């Protein structure tokens, strides 16, 4: 009789532990998933890999951020350790009173952007809207969150105007492509 009680207790404990591990599996999977800012930063770097930027004599690519884009902290953190097409990545935050963006190869614009509309309109590099309010109206690329996945839209008219060429492989991944009229 004692053996049956002990066996039943052990089996119940094992069953309870198995249930706890089973219930914890989705939580563990969520903990292993990168957060959205990391995914956005990875998409930006991926876009850079498949994009031909206007020729500049600088041996590095300068990523500039304005308005606290979602990917800002992650890009600032990882850019010193990355290379894209054999060029080192550098990162800087652009102050709202900036007079020029000419040294920026890539400008990432967030929702708190306060750069002048004229300065943005005259920017001739690759602009990425990462939470900005204007989307593809003023940016070549717009990062989007669709069904909990980070994707992007492309403004080919603005890209062409800025002498930016995307690989066909990259364009196949775009959620939406706005073509010049």
């Amino acid at each position: 009789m004692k053996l049956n009680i002990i066996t039943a207790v052990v089996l119940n404990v094992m069953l309870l532990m198995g249930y706890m591990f089973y219930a914890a599996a989705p939580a563990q999977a969520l903990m292993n998933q990168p957060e959205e800012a990391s995914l956005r930063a990875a998409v930006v770097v991926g876009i850079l890999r498949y994009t031909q930027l206007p020729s500049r004599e600088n041996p590095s690519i300068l990523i500039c951020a304005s308005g606290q884009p979602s990917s800002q902290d992650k890009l600032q953190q990882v850019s010193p350790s990355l290379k894209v097409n054999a060029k080192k990545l550098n990162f800087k935050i652009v102050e709202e009173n900036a007079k020029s963006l000419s040294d920026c190869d890539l400008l990432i614009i967030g929702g708190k952007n306060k750069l002048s509309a004229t300065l943005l309109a005259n920017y001739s590099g690759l602009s990425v809207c990462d939470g900005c309010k204007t989307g593809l109206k003023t940016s070549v690329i717009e990062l989007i969150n669709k069904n909990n996945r980070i994707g992007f839209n492309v403004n080919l008219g603005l890209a062409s105007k800025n002498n930016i060429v995307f690989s066909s492989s990259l364009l196949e991944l775009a959620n939406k492509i706005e073509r010049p009229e």
Side-chain angles (χ1 to χ4, degrees), residues 161-178:
K161 176 184 166 217
N162 291 354
N163 296 315
I164 296 168
V165 178
F166 298 112
S167 76
S168 58
S169 300
L170 179 71
L171 292 176
E172 287 177 10
L173 298 173
N175 183 63
K176 177 173 102 177
I177 299 174
E178 283 191 8

Side-chain angles (χ1 to χ4, degrees), residues 26-160:
Q28 183 65 31
L30 284 174
M31 288 179 6
N32 290 335
Q33 300 246 341
E35 75 278 4
E36 187 172 332
S38 294
L39 293 173
R40 287 175 176 269
V43 168
V44 168
V45 172
I47 289 169
L48 271 176
R49 291 188 193 285
Y50 294 94
T51 301
Q52 184 178 12
L53 298 171
S55 296
R56 297 192 190 199
E57 298 194 20
N58 196 341
S60 64
I61 297 173
L62 180 59
I63 300 172
C64 298
S66 174
Q68 297 178 338
S70 300
S71 58
Q72 176 178 307
D73 292 340
K74 292 297 178 181
L75 283 169
Q76 189 172 22
Q77 179 183 2
V78 300
S79 60
S81 63
L82 295 177
K83 284 189 175 183
V84 171
N85 303 328
K87 290 188 171 190
K88 184 181 174 196
L89 298 182
N90 293 319
F91 186 91
K92 89 172 188 180
I93 296 173
V94 178
E95 301 299 325
E96 65 183 72
N97 60 354
K99 301 292 183 219
S100 173
L101 299 170
S102 63
D103 58 339
C104 299
D105 296 296
L106 167 66
L107 175 64
I108 304 173
I109 307 162
K112 296 181 180 178
N113 178 54
K114 294 196 174 153
L115 294 176
S116 76
T118 304
L119 187 63
L120 289 174
N122 292 329
Y123 177 64
S124 61
L126 175 60
S127 53
V128 175
C129 172
D130 183 8
C132 73
K133 296 173 177 91
T134 56
L136 289 180
K137 292 177 186 169
T138 59
S139 298
V140 175
I141 300 282
E142 175 188 30
L143 297 182
I144 59 168
N145 184 333
K146 185 175 181 182
N147 299 327
N148 291 324
R149 296 183 187 267
I150 303 303
F152 59 95
N153 299 325
V154 179
N155 180 335
L156 280 183
L158 190 53
S160 178

